[in-house]
Amino acid sequence: MKIKGVGSKTIINALESFAPDDIKSDFNFVKTLQIKKVQSMIDSGNLDAVVWRQTLESATDMIQKHRQLDIEIIDFLMPDYPQNLKQVETKKFPAVLYVKGNLLLLNAEKSIAVIGTRDPTDNGLALTEKYIGSLVDDGFVVVSGLALGTDTNAHVSTLENSGKTVAILAAGLDEPVYPAKNRELAEKILTEGGALVSEYPAGTKLMPQYLAARDEWQSGMSDGVLALETGVKGGTQIAMGHSGRQGRPLAVPDYRRYEGDDYIANTKQAQGTDAAIQANQAFPLYTRGSVKQFITMMIEQHQKRVELNRKVEQPPVKVHQPEQTQANLF
């Protein structure tokens, strides 16, 4: 159901103080909500009991339409809604999600967003496959955006390691998958027990701004973020910024230790991740021990979120430098 001018943030702020059983669909309850736009519409006569009933009927039709398309509608008050997403430190998340596939993955015990450039190097692709193998072995669900490059490699590597993966899309789930090259991959994600997720209802066409918005929910749904490669500017940098604001630990490969200073100077895809390490904004991965440390960090913070009430402010993420050792290189 959608009322023009009333967005997710307004709905969440109005309803989060109610217990789920106290929320009603009748018009008398609507009149009690402290939503300025809704009250204005009621006062002007543009929203009354008849219009509200028509709105409910439209919502019912919308739910049925999505079910016919095998799309589940999950609102933020339902237990299937990703609890990680509800507990981001920004307190910003979609009121409704649309899901195809395995709903259980939305609240997996372990999940990680894997992001990176659309133009990965051979080194970046090899490290993606190596890290994914380790993460899947440890029971992590891999979340990514189905874009070309790093995202594609993350999804494919997860499936090749018999893992589960979730793709966040930037259009209605009945729309042709973008990019077209990954339509077969999207189907394989579903047949292999994964899920496709969108904040947009069926019939919503892809828009450039939706691609940018999608990046925010990848980190929000996950316990941590692994950025494989990125320049100093671009979409991956934006997604890395979301991880910090949302209170999610961020890790990147330490290419300076893997390949040396000259590699950083000559490889733009490594310059953004290196800058994050130098600014102490990301946890550097280099040894098996550092990977294990990052996994432990994600698990511990996930457990804290499970234990704490969602209204309790979470402590800020601290980046810990792993022990500098040449042993057990990853």
Side-chain angles (χ1 to χ4, degrees), residues 253-261 264 274 284-287 322-327 329:
D254 191 343
Y255 289 105
R256 192 173 294 275
R257 298 192 68 198
Y258 273 120
E259 304 293 340
D261 293 348
I264 301 297
D274 185 69
L285 301 180
Y286 179 57
T287 64
E323 296 179 1
Q324 299 298 306
T325 174
Q326 293 295 325
L329 302 188

Side-chain angles (χ1 to χ4, degrees), residues 1-2 51-65:
M1 158 183 9
K2 195 167 183 67
V51 174
W52 181 248
R53 185 169 62 251
Q54 293 171 343
T55 303
L56 289 177
E57 290 171 354
S58 175
T60 300
D61 291 343
M62 183 179 182
I63 292 170
Q64 292 176 346
K65 172 187 175 182

Side-chain angles (χ1 to χ4, degrees), residues 135-157:
L135 290 163
V136 169
D137 285 347
D138 208 86
F140 276 84
V141 170
V142 174
V143 179
S144 200
L146 207 66
L148 296 177
T150 303
D151 288 15
T152 297
N153 198 35
H155 291 302
V156 170
S157 295

Side-chain angles (χ1 to χ4, degrees), residues 149-203:
T150 303
D151 288 15
T152 297
N153 198 35
H155 291 302
V156 170
S157 295
T158 302
L159 297 177
E160 288 178 344
N161 282 277
S162 301
K164 303 298 183 187
T165 185
V166 175
I168 312 297
L169 304 185
L173 296 182
D174 63 328
E175 293 295 307
V177 167
Y178 175 86
K181 289 183 178 180
N182 278 345
R183 288 173 187 171
E184 185 176 334
L185 175 57
E187 287 300 320
K188 189 171 184 181
I189 288 172
L190 292 176
T191 58
E192 295 294 325
L196 307 180
V197 179
S198 175
E199 65 173 301
Y200 305 106

Side-chain angles (χ1 to χ4, degrees), residues 25-281:
S25 61
D26 63 84
F27 188 62
N28 288 329
F29 175 79
V30 175
K31 290 192 290 186
T32 68
L33 296 178
Q34 300 301 308
I35 302 179
K36 186 176 180 180
K37 178 68 175 180
V38 171
Q39 292 302 322
S40 175
M41 293 175 68
I42 292 173
D43 293 342
S44 66
N46 291 321
L47 180 60
D48 57 21
V50 173
V51 174
W52 181 248
R53 185 169 62 251
Q54 293 171 343
T55 303
L56 289 177
E57 290 171 354
S58 175
T60 300
D61 291 343
M62 183 179 182
I63 292 170
Q64 292 176 346
K65 172 187 175 182
H66 281 77
R67 285 179 176 167
Q68 290 170 356
L69 295 168
D70 293 324
I71 299 171
E72 291 292 332
I73 301 178
I74 310 296
D75 70 59
F76 77 103
L77 295 170
M78 298 171 68
D80 286 329
Y81 192 94
Q83 297 306 298
N84 271 348
L85 196 51
K86 288 175 66 172
Q87 294 173 335
V88 293
E89 290 184 2
T90 58
K91 304 298 182 184
K92 178 185 175 185
F93 51 89
V96 176
L97 291 175
Y98 303 85
V99 185
K100 264 190 172 185
N102 189 350
L103 291 177
L104 296 177
L105 300 184
L106 303 187
N107 286 294
E109 285 190 21
K110 302 175 183 178
S111 60
I112 184 168
V114 179
I115 60 177
T117 177
R118 287 174 170 79
D119 183 29
T121 65
D122 290 341
N123 283 335
L125 291 173
L127 280 179
T128 303
E129 293 168 7
K130 186 178 289 188
Y131 288 138
I132 290 291
S134 179
L135 290 163
V136 169
D137 285 347
D138 208 86
F140 276 84
V141 170
V142 174
V143 179
S144 200
L146 207 66
L148 296 177
T150 303
D151 288 15
T152 297
N153 198 35
H155 291 302
V156 170
S157 295
T158 302
L159 297 177
E160 288 178 344
N161 282 277
S162 301
K164 303 298 183 187
T165 185
V166 175
I168 312 297
L169 304 185
L173 296 182
D174 63 328
E175 293 295 307
V177 167
Y178 175 86
K181 289 183 178 180
N182 278 345
R183 288 173 187 171
E184 185 176 334
L185 175 57
E187 287 300 320
K188 189 171 184 181
I189 288 172
L190 292 176
T191 58
E192 295 294 325
L196 307 180
V197 179
S198 175
E199 65 173 301
Y200 305 106
T204 304
K205 306 293 184 183
L206 177 72
M207 300 287 287
Q209 60 266 35
Y210 296 166
L211 291 169
R214 170 199 62 185
D215 295 338
E216 191 169 357
W217 313 134
Q218 293 180 58
S219 58
M221 283 183 58
S222 305
D223 296 318
V225 178
L226 172 58
L228 271 302
E229 289 183 304
T230 179
V232 294
K233 295 181 180 180
T236 301
Q237 284 288 341
I238 295 172
M240 291 165 67
H242 286 311
S243 71
R245 288 186 289 275
Q246 293 174 330
R248 297 294 184 265
L250 169 68
V252 299
D254 191 343
Y255 289 105
R256 192 173 294 275
R257 298 192 68 198
Y258 273 120
E259 304 293 340
D261 293 348
D262 288 345
Y263 183 82
I264 301 297
N266 297 318
T267 310
K268 65 179 182 180
Q269 293 94 326
Q271 291 168 1
T273 51
D274 185 69
I277 293 174
Q278 302 309 316
N280 204 36
Q281 295 172 342

